[in-house]
DNA sequence: TCTTGAAGCTATAGTGACTAGAGCAAGTAG
DNA sequence: CTACTTGCTCTAGTCACTATAGCTTCAAGA
């Protein structure tokens, strides 16, 4: 049996995060010690490592919830899991596209800055007028979600 | 003078977002009409477009706040603006690196899925065991911030 | 002038995935 | 026995909005 601290250290997850996962139902409520402390079986380490790894790959918690419930039913088709992973791949690719465009725009902006005064600063000027931009990095989904 | 709706449409920003920007002090409180509706001068359109454009480029609002106060003092050195933009570029590049690693890991995962049952699903298996991975996409800063 | 519909107002709460803090209780090493 | 660490619960904060509820004001047509 593992305390929450050992579990977290083993899986590379912070203790409050584990309690948060329990709160949202991603981890089951474990048994408690006499003094009300959580005690986890080994199997929870596997589950938590799975979650951690999926988070590292950028899967949202809701997708991870689905993946976990799939992994509990080994006889079913893998198609659903494949769909979730493919969706994640597509989302990563979309963000890559967008970030690449931003990178080149920012590069141009910084490169052109001669570091004089604000009044002839390219950084400020370009931000003030989208017409200075090579691409249309307009809108689309938020960069950070 | 522009109503909040016209302002939003012109700048490509939703109306509640404009009110939010006012609330956090990124836009000044405008005069009101007799019926208590916000009325904006042209200059606010410039300011809002600046914000919008910087957000499109991924700058956080706090950085934008700094950039705006810089742009209000045209005689000062542009070095501070350059530093903010360079930091943003660095952050975009860091996220690009990370996303590229994730992309190839997800590609491998999805490509290996033969779409049988869950019990021999590569997607589930790889997520369950980090040792299957080519790279160490471990930790670092959160993908989405 | 009346009416209808769009656009505006305030205020509160929700999103995702945690993180931080306060103020305790329990476990452990010397 | 005494520190010290680890654990507990609960609340609130993060970022950049978005959504909802319930209300008022405005502009255009009949």
């Amino acid at each position: 049996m593992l305390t929450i601290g050992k579990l977290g250290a083993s899986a590379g997850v912070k203790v409050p995060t584990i309690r948060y996962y329990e709160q949202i139902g991603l981890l089951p409520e474990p048994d408690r010690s006499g003094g009300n402390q959580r005690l986890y079986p080994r199997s929870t380490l596997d589950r938590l490592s799975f979650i951690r790894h999926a988070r590292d790959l950028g899967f949202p918690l809701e997708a991870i919830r689905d993946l976990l419930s799939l992994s509990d039913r080994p006889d079913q088709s893998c198609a659903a899991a494949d769909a979730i992973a493919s969706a994640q791949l597509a989302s990563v690719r979309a963000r890559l596209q967008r970030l690449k465009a931003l990178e080149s725009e920012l590069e141009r902006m910084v490169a052109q800055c001669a570091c004089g005064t604000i009044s002839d600063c390219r950084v400020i000027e370009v931000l003030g007028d989208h017409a200075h931009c090579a691409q249309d990095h307009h809108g689309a989904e938020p960069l950070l979600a």
Side-chain angles (χ1 to χ4, degrees), chain A:
Chain A
M1 285 298 192
L2 301 161
T3 62
I4 197 170
K6 309 272 184 198
L7 176 67
S10 304
V13 174
K14 289 180 192 149
V15 166
T17 304
I18 296 174
R19 288 194 282 248
Y20 168 72
Y21 287 164
E22 178 183 323
Q23 189 190 311
I24 63 168
L26 215 54
L27 287 177
E29 293 184 27
D31 293 338
R32 301 289 183 118
S33 74
N36 198 34
Q37 302 196 348
R38 290 169 179 83
L39 288 178
Y40 295 94
R42 286 274 148 195
S43 60
T44 301
L45 178 54
D46 292 341
R47 194 174 175 92
L48 184 55
S49 300
F50 185 103
I51 296 171
R52 166 77 208 272
H53 195 189
R55 286 294 298 132
D56 279 342
L57 287 167
F59 286 88
L61 289 182
E62 279 316 296
I64 295 173
R65 197 190 292 275
D66 293 345
L67 287 169
L68 280 169
S69 79
L70 286 171
S71 79
D72 288 340
R73 273 165 292 163
D75 295 342
Q76 286 206 294
S77 162
C78 160
D82 190 54
I84 294 170
S86 298
Q88 175 62 12
L89 178 54
S91 134
V92 164
R93 282 181 172 150
R95 267 183 289 160
L96 265 173
Q97 284 309 305
R98 184 143 161 65
L99 275 176
K100 279 178 192 161
L102 297 199
E103 183 191 26
S104 55
E105 215 60 72
L106 286 165
E107 269 169 359
R108 274 185 0 119
M109 221 167 84
V110 170
Q112 288 176 2
C113 176
C115 267
T117 61
I118 289 287
S119 58
D120 45 33
C121 178
R122 288 297 294 173
V123 172
I124 299 291
E125 191 183 342
V126 171
L127 285 173
D129 187 355
H130 181 74
H132 290 289
C133 286
Q135 294 138 8
D136 196 29
H137 41 245
H138 218 40
E141 64 241 67
L143 199 46
L144 333 154

